[in-house]
Amino acid sequence: MIYIVAFLGIFHVNWLSYWPELWRGGLMTVEFTAASFAGSVVVGLVLALMRESHVLPIRGLARLYTEIFKNLPLLTEIFIVYFGLASLGIKFDVFEAGSISLIVFYAAYLSEIFRAGLEGVASGQREAAYALGLTDSAVYSRVVLPQAIRLALPGTTTMLVDMLKSTSLLITIAGSELMTVGQLIASQTFRAMEVYFVIGAIYFAMCFPLSQFSIRIERRLAAGTPIAPSRRRIRSEAYSIQLASGGVQ
């Protein structure tokens, strides 16, 4: 009943006059998500490789980072980066602070996902790759990483959708993203229920196709269909190594 009332109430707001603000807020949300996801993937992969290191201090440092930032609320990290560091003379603008906060937070989770993917590759395939004379870099780039990506993809895409929704927390530092725009519209129209109903619908419209696309990619990989034709050579090399290690019956 509440949703029906909210749906009927949206017609009391002149949305055409607020369309430019909503459009800019949506674009800013996408920009935050894209920049933060790219950064968190890079940092998360580095952390995952550090966790695989045979050097104890490197492995311990990566684990310490993961445990600290994985167990801190994202909102706390946003405040530390934007307000806390500013009190020490280290100032970031809103976009930089928001992106850094999301990168630091989600890199910890992605590192665990990537590490699970790396450890999910059978050790016999690595041994077979070394037996064939491949270098360390070739083993990881041609054998381990392609299979680890397949294993880590479901969790990674879930984190992407979650990150897009988490950009709404940047309202606390006036990030100019979608939720901040919604708050401004609600304060001007005094139609909070209707405005946030529409904002929620926009978030759903952004997240749902992304979730469905992720599911489609996962199904293609599960069916053995490569994402791109250029991956066929890598997959054939990995298959040859599986044969050499006895991993394929």
Side-chain angles (χ1 to χ4, degrees):
M1 184 63 183
I2 295 176
Y3 295 108
I4 295 176
V5 172
F7 177 74
L8 295 176
I10 65 176
F11 298 105
H12 292 89
V13 180
N14 184 13
W15 292 106
L16 289 178
S17 62
Y18 294 108
W19 171 248
E21 287 82 0
L22 289 171
W23 176 257
R24 285 193 293 269
L27 287 179
M28 184 59 66
T29 297
V30 173
E31 290 178 10
F32 272 118
T33 304
S36 303
F37 185 70
S40 60
V41 166
V42 173
V43 176
L45 182 58
V46 171
L47 289 171
L49 293 175
M50 290 173 64
R51 291 289 297 271
E52 293 288 303
S53 174
H54 298 292
V55 181
L56 182 59
I58 295 178
R59 191 167 65 249
L61 182 62
R63 182 175 181 179
L64 179 64
Y65 175 98
T66 301
E67 293 301 325
I68 290 176
F69 291 104
K70 188 176 66 174
N71 292 288
L72 284 178
L74 176 56
L75 189 58
T76 301
E77 298 181 25
I78 294 173
F79 281 6
I80 290 175
V81 173
Y82 190 68
F83 297 111
L85 292 181
S87 66
L88 300 178
I90 305 174
K91 297 183 179 180
F92 298 102
D93 61 33
V94 172
F95 185 82
E96 292 172 343
S99 299
I100 291 173
S101 302
L102 291 169
I103 289 172
V104 168
F105 182 78
Y106 281 96
Y109 285 94
L110 287 174
S111 68
E112 292 290 277
I113 294 173
F114 295 157
R115 184 172 65 89
L118 291 172
E119 293 181 352
V121 179
S123 59
Q125 297 188 34
R126 303 190 191 197
E127 295 171 0
Y130 285 121
L132 293 175
L134 296 182
T135 62
D136 288 338
S137 60
V139 169
Y140 270 92
S141 62
R142 297 187 177 187
V143 180
V144 178
L145 287 181
Q147 298 179 73
I149 289 174
R150 176 179 175 179
L151 296 173
L153 186 60
T156 303
T157 53
T158 299
M159 286 293 103
L160 173 59
V161 175
D162 189 73
M163 180 184 291
L164 193 153
K165 293 184 293 184
S166 294
T167 58
S168 60
L169 291 176
L170 299 179
I171 187 177
T172 56
I173 58 174
S176 299
E177 32 59 59
L178 196 56
M179 187 59 72
T180 302
V181 172
Q183 184 184 47
L184 294 175
I185 297 175
S187 65
Q188 295 173 8
T189 61
F190 301 100
R191 310 287 300 190
M193 181 63 184
E194 294 87 342
V195 169
Y196 291 123
F197 181 87
V198 170
I199 295 298
I202 295 175
Y203 273 112
F204 179 82
M206 296 171 69
C207 293
F208 182 74
L210 185 60
S211 300
Q212 295 302 305
F213 176 76
S214 301
I215 292 174
R216 182 180 178 184
I217 294 297
E218 293 171 24
R219 288 175 177 172
R220 289 185 62 184
L221 288 175
T225 304
I227 296 177
S230 60
R231 309 277 315 168
R232 292 173 182 169
R233 178 176 58 83
I234 297 177
R235 287 173 61 87
S236 64
E237 293 177 354
Y239 183 75
S240 298
I241 293 173
Q242 286 180 328
L243 288 176
S245 64
V248 177
Q249 302 297 329

